[in-house]
Amino acid sequence: MLTVTHFTVLSAILFSLGALAVLIRRNPLIMFMGIELMLNAVNLAFVAFSRFMENMDGQVFVFIVLTVAAAEVAVGLALVVAIFRARDNVDMDEIDLLKG
Amino acid sequence: MLLTLPEINLYPLLPALIPAVTAMLVMLADVLLPGKNKSWLALLALVGLAAASYFTVMLFGANLSAFNASIVADNFALGIALVILGAGAATILLSLDYLRARQLDLGEYLALLLGAVSGMILMALANDLIVIFLGLELFSLPLYVLSAFWRTNDRSLEAGMKYFLLGSFSSAFFLYGIALLYGATDATNLTKISAAASEPTVASNPMFLMGAALLIVGFGFKVGLAPFQWWIPDVYEGAPTPITAFMSVATKAAAFAAFFRAFMVAFPSAVVDWQFVLALLAVVSMTVGNVAALTQTNLKRMLAYSSIANAGYILIALVVGGQAGLSAALFYLAAYTVMNLGAFGGLVAMGQGDQERLTLDELAGAAQTKPWAAAAMAISLLSLAGFPPFAGFVAKFFVFGAAVNAGYVWLAVIGVLNSLVSVYYYLHPIVKMYMNPPAEGWAQAPARAPIFLAVAVIVAVLLTIAMGLFPGGMLNFAQAAMVK
């Protein structure tokens, strides 16, 4: 029998994997994917809580989060394209003009 | 399952709605109407901001709420909204010549800026965690683009990219905190969370505590508290200077408004548990910001570290809490807005063509070639350092006074010591500008007097002085009650 705890733990694991991807990988595209994984882990948590508490709000929040995630990707990819045009390289470790 | 439609009342939402509609109008007018000189788009944007300010003032005292109490237009939110609208208008004036010198497109810039203003005001009005999140994203996304708006400049692109990656990373933490609180309390409305949290079983639920902690991380990132401050110096240095000015004041106001509301409405009992954590964050932010600012030679970077320190001072007001903390914070945010806009405005006025004078060496002797810009910067920096009779002194006095009255003497002492440290790096550029021989390569007179820029800077400086000399009127305004 699946309980809400299973879903909570699964979403926590997915969220942590996404966060690790952002922290470890240096390619911005992979980092976006990590952020997407974090947001989808949150969606899983929302849906699970909504189902087990019989409160529809959580289902609606998922749509809001999906919309925000899509807008974020649009902005992020545009930034990657702009940087690639300017310097033919998008590795985050080599983008280091600003420091100190 | 029966769904009841909430009553739709757009009136309390007008302060956020009008800038959003104006953004769309500006975008349409930019495309549809002919002509090469698009400066009049700025007039359209300013009219929109003025209309929003009018309705904001009209809403004062009414304490209306809408959308099942997920929007609350109380005096605190409206005061923050006025600060944001003023910062938006000043940023437009600061930007006109800056954009023209770099041949950047005005229409898109204004639309993005108005979108950010709308999101910030939505965040200040929000009484529901999901609406706070929407407001946060609605202002963050335009700001990512605006940071990278100078597309041919590698530093601007880098700032946009870094802001985007770290910003969406922190938003995900914030959202996860909302999900956990929703799971623990079955609500996202702050008032309902407060009701649910009065049960000890809920308040001690690890999911609830984790959710509240993640909210602190999310807010801490947006207002720039140490240890969530890594992005601030890079983004503030790389972004176009008017956008840096806007981010440093308006983002702080919006995010602190939601921070205060979340912790004073939703966790009134939890504030007691979190008070020590928040006090610790305030101490770390003040110290990290002030100590790191000491060694900076680039003014934009120095003001970035100063903004981290100022976030720490404002957080003291949240630790104090109650009516005293709230009005001290509102006064501090308003004062910080005018003096920081004055400092950044002076910095923009120092530049020539698409060249900026940002480092201490470049600013040497600037008082001889640009006396008015130097005077504006000197007054704003003195105010930031907390010298009377400027706004910064009164603001710090209220925050530290509130801390002492509430029994947080140690916190006030650390704050005062930090202000003393900060005097060094605020005075350093003034000494350079007034007492050193002029740096070479900077022409004697500007090619054209930037009139809009001058208006914004003069208003900011006059307000800095007025709020310092006559804090009474402003303080009455800041005694704004928050509706719980």
Side-chain angles (χ1 to χ4, degrees), chain B residues 66-402:
Chain B
F67 296 97
N68 273 337
S70 58
I71 297 285
V72 172
D74 58 15
N75 287 4
F76 177 72
L78 294 171
I80 294 285
L82 272 188
V83 168
I84 295 166
L85 289 166
T91 308
I92 292 176
L93 295 176
L94 291 186
S95 305
L96 289 174
D97 291 284
Y98 189 92
L99 293 175
R100 191 180 298 122
R102 287 156 186 78
Q103 292 170 333
L104 298 175
D105 187 83
L106 181 65
E108 292 169 8
Y109 182 92
L110 290 173
L112 288 165
L113 189 66
L114 289 166
V117 167
S118 165
M120 286 167 177
I121 296 176
L122 182 65
M123 193 170 177
L125 294 170
N127 192 40
D128 185 299
L129 289 174
I130 285 292
V131 182
I132 292 180
F133 175 72
L134 280 181
L136 185 136
E137 286 295 332
L138 188 55
F139 82 70
S140 295
L141 288 171
L143 283 182
Y144 301 148
V145 181
L146 285 170
S147 300
F149 202 79
W150 191 359
R151 275 204 304 273
T152 49
N153 180 302
D154 279 354
R155 288 168 183 270
S156 179
L157 281 177
E158 179 176 336
M161 191 71 200
K162 283 183 172 167
Y163 192 18
F164 170 76
L165 281 174
L166 292 171
S168 36
F169 189 55
S170 80
S171 299
F173 279 96
F174 188 78
L175 192 63
Y176 199 48
I178 296 177
L180 292 179
L181 286 172
Y182 172 67
T185 63
D186 195 8
T188 54
N189 187 294
L190 296 178
T191 320
K192 286 185 189 152
I193 290 178
S194 163
S198 57
E199 304 238 352
T201 49
V202 173
S204 60
N205 183 344
M207 219 151 71
F208 182 82
L209 298 175
M210 191 70 191
L214 287 174
L215 282 196
I216 294 185
V217 173
F219 282 128
F221 181 91
K222 283 295 164 196
V223 300
L225 288 171
F228 316 111
Q229 90 295 9
W230 341 273
W231 62 282
I232 288 209
D234 285 357
V235 174
Y236 279 25
E237 186 190 338
T241 311
I243 292 304
T244 309
F246 181 68
M247 279 196 292
S248 66
V249 297
T251 305
K252 222 178 224 68
F256 259 118
F259 200 169
F260 272 67
R261 192 178 297 277
F263 276 81
M264 294 176 88
V265 176
F267 317 119
S269 55
V271 163
V272 180
D273 303 334
W274 292 108
Q275 244 156 7
F276 182 70
V277 178
L278 294 176
L280 208 62
L281 281 177
V283 171
V284 174
S285 302
M286 289 187 291
T287 315
V288 166
N290 282 322
V291 171
L294 289 177
T295 56
Q296 299 305 321
T297 53
N298 182 313
L299 264 262
K300 262 164 113 179
R301 219 176 164 81
M302 187 209 91
L303 286 170
Y305 282 110
S306 129
S307 96
I308 297 167
N310 276 289
Y313 298 137
I314 301 169
L315 195 61
I316 292 181
L318 177 55
V319 176
V320 171
Q323 185 61 49
L326 212 55
S327 33
L330 189 52
F331 190 93
Y332 200 106
L333 282 167
Y336 180 69
T337 300
V338 292
M339 58 203 187
N340 227 29
L341 283 174
F344 276 109
L347 213 50
V348 174
M350 287 288 175
Q352 276 167 13
D354 65 351
Q355 296 295 312
E356 285 189 282
R357 278 171 106 160
L358 295 176
T359 64
L360 287 172
D361 290 335
E362 286 166 348
L363 280 171
Q368 290 172 31
T369 49
K370 301 250 181 181
W372 292 103
M377 255 174 83
I379 291 175
S380 303
L381 289 173
L382 284 174
S383 175
L384 279 163
F387 280 97
F390 303 118
F393 168 75
V394 185
K396 283 202 173 103
F397 181 79
F398 284 147
V399 168
F400 297 150

Side-chain angles (χ1 to χ4, degrees), chain B residues 9 11-12 58-59 61-66 71-74 78 125 483:
Chain B
N9 178 8
Y11 187 51
M58 293 319 306
L59 279 163
N63 290 327
L64 295 176
S65 68
I71 297 285
V72 172
D74 58 15
L78 294 171
L125 294 170
V483 176

